[in-house]
Amino acid sequence: MQLYNTLSAKEREKLIEEAGKDRLTISFYQYAHIGNPKILRNHLFIAWNEMEVLGRIYVAHEGINAQLSVPAENFEIFKAHLDSITFLENVRLNIAIEQDNKSFLKLKVKVREKIVADGLNDNTFDVTNKGIHVGAEQFNELIEDPDTVLVDMRNHYESEIGHFKNAITPDVDTFRDSLDIIEADLAEHKEDKKLVMYCTGGIRCEKASAYYKHKGFKNVYQLEGGIIEYTRQVKANNLENKFLGKNFVFDHRRGERISDDIISNCHQCGKPCDTHVNCANEACHLLFIQCEECAKAMDNCCSTECQEIHALPYEEQKKLRKGKEVSNKIFKKGRSPVLKYKN
């Protein structure tokens, strides 16, 4: 019984190219009580591997959080499988605005403590007492209300390339960091202002809205389905789009263009740019914004030091990395002294 990937990312990429079939990039989440997350994890991996699903899925006692891609021809089979699982029946699926057949190259289903790393003790407040969910039309009306405070619940590198106009965009590295900062900044307006929040697909706002109601905020709203569902509704119902720039996404695309506005700049030369890349030096892998000219001049690296390492033979690079810890924990996304034009 296969419970792990047998192909590398490069091997999978080649197979996708050879197949020439369209894939759909999808995200969804659901809070539910799961008695044995490991059993569910194994069940999902076996079933979805057969359907050629690729992606990153977190399963915990509190529910599931999934970002994945599936061959378009297998979508109905995949949807039927979701509906066969009681707590996932008719779950809302956020279909990507811009499709890319290589958005994911491996199937990773992991058991985690939580489906979002919020750092909260759920036993201290009622996580089911959420804010009011609003669709795109009502959201547009709310954010024009002078008594509304609009808050972006995402991290700095996400809001840097795109956000709703007039939104507060906390300069934070993690979702947990933003919770206390926002509460402190808005402490005087817990009763007289409408707190309206949004994120990529809605999951961060589910817990945040309940947390802020617990903290005494009287009028709490959240954008149903996040930026992804907002954009779908705007297009479907011919509504005014109030989102500026790109929506950052957590797959190989790194972003979906929502409007033509470019609100950020290249971190190396300062010219308008909103293209996120990872440093080509595998010992670095820093996430930053880089224009085409700088990518060419710097060999897709974030610094001359990384450029020199990247130019070495691969085996020599491996020797330099040996014994050194490389993970997202030690390389802050979008923050480094080598990035001269990072705001």
Side-chain angles (χ1 to χ4, degrees):
M1 186 166 58
Q2 183 187 330
L3 294 172
Y4 57 89
N5 289 282
T6 57
L7 297 176
S8 69
K10 288 185 178 180
E11 290 171 328
R12 177 66 69 179
E13 184 174 5
K14 185 178 179 181
L15 284 179
I16 291 174
E17 289 175 351
E18 291 174 349
K21 297 177 181 178
D22 288 335
R23 300 181 66 90
L24 296 175
T25 300
I26 299 167
S27 63
F28 68 89
Y29 66 88
Q30 188 72 288
Y31 280 99
H33 177 69
I34 298 174
N36 193 324
K38 186 175 181 181
I39 291 177
L40 177 61
R41 180 266 169 204
N42 292 345
H43 171 71
L44 294 179
F45 190 97
I46 293 168
W48 292 354
N49 191 52
E50 286 287 321
M51 301 175 204
E52 299 179 64
V53 173
L54 303 171
R56 181 176 55 253
I57 299 94
Y58 297 143
V59 179
H61 285 292
E62 68 175 4
I64 183 171
N65 181 13
Q67 295 91 39
L68 52 83
S69 80
V70 60
E73 63 184 17
N74 291 345
F75 175 75
E76 293 302 328
I77 299 172
F78 173 75
K79 180 65 169 65
H81 180 256
L82 286 181
D83 288 340
S84 72
I85 301 171
T86 304
F87 77 95
L88 291 179
E89 185 177 8
N90 296 320
V91 66
R92 186 191 63 247
L93 301 178
N94 283 332
I95 310 295
I97 300 152
E98 297 178 348
Q99 294 295 338
D100 184 332
N101 290 342
K102 301 175 187 175
S103 57
F104 292 99
L105 297 174
K106 287 188 177 184
L107 175 59
K108 298 180 180 179
V109 187
K110 297 184 177 182
V111 175
R112 290 286 178 89
E113 285 295 317
K114 290 192 171 188
I115 56 177
V116 174
D118 54 37
L120 297 173
N121 181 354
D122 294 353
N123 295 322
T124 61
F125 66 102
D126 183 1
V127 297
T128 66
N129 186 23
K130 305 171 188 174
I132 299 170
H133 291 61
V134 296
E137 186 172 7
Q138 188 179 355
F139 180 83
N140 279 355
E141 293 172 359
L142 270 173
I143 64 177
E144 294 299 329
D145 186 336
D147 288 328
T148 288
V149 178
L150 178 62
V151 180
D152 191 321
M153 297 305 301
R154 302 172 302 153
N155 303 325
H156 73 94
Y157 55 89
E158 299 174 80
S159 59
E160 183 176 10
I161 61 170
H163 54 75
F164 284 101
K165 66 177 184 178
N166 300 324
I168 295 172
T169 56
D171 185 24
V172 295
D173 294 312
T174 68
F175 170 55
R176 181 64 185 92
D177 291 341
S178 67
L179 293 175
D180 292 339
I181 292 173
I182 292 167
E183 183 192 0
D185 288 349
L186 302 179
E188 297 179 359
H189 301 292
K190 289 186 176 183
E191 297 191 9
D192 65 329
K193 295 288 186 181
K194 295 171 184 150
L195 175 58
V196 180
M197 61 187 75
Y198 68 90
C199 58
T200 307
I203 188 169
R204 283 174 274 192
C205 293
E206 294 286 345
K207 192 69 69 71
S209 66
Y211 177 77
Y212 286 129
K213 289 186 74 174
H214 167 70
K215 287 293 186 176
F217 286 88
K218 302 300 183 184
N219 304 295
V220 181
Y221 300 81
Q222 61 192 85
L223 179 58
E224 173 75 24
I227 301 163
I228 298 173
E229 175 63 12
Y230 172 87
T231 305
R232 188 197 68 78
Q233 290 183 20
V234 163
K235 291 181 178 180
N237 301 318
N238 197 29
L239 303 174
E240 180 184 358
N241 171 43
K242 294 182 180 291
F243 189 90
L244 306 173
K246 275 184 176 180
N247 178 31
F248 185 95
V249 292
F250 293 88
D251 59 56
H252 289 285
R253 295 171 299 150
R254 300 188 186 90
E256 298 179 314
R257 183 157 299 287
I258 309 300
S259 80
D260 292 333
D261 304 277
I262 299 178
I263 65 171
S264 53
N265 54 270
C266 173
H267 288 165
Q268 291 177 315
C269 72
K271 72 175 288 186
C273 178
D274 55 12
T275 302
H276 270 111
V277 299
N278 287 105
C279 180
N281 175 15
E282 292 188 26
C284 175
H285 210 60
L286 178 72
L287 180 76
F288 68 108
I289 298 174
Q290 186 179 52
C291 68
E292 291 183 4
E293 290 84 354
C294 287
K296 185 176 181 180
M298 298 295 296
D299 297 322
N300 303 303
C301 293
C302 70
S303 66
T304 53
E305 180 182 359
C306 283
Q307 188 177 20
E308 290 169 0
I309 294 172
H310 183 57
L312 295 173
Y314 185 69
E315 290 302 316
E316 196 168 337
Q317 291 184 49
K318 286 178 65 177
K319 287 180 182 178
L320 290 173
R321 293 199 301 271
K322 190 175 181 180
K324 295 182 179 180
E325 181 185 2
V326 178
S327 76
N328 288 334
K329 293 180 181 178
I330 60 174
F331 296 112
K332 288 185 178 292
K333 295 178 179 177
R335 296 195 197 275
S336 171
V338 303
L339 302 177
K340 298 178 181 179
Y341 289 89
K342 162 64 181 172
N343 292 331

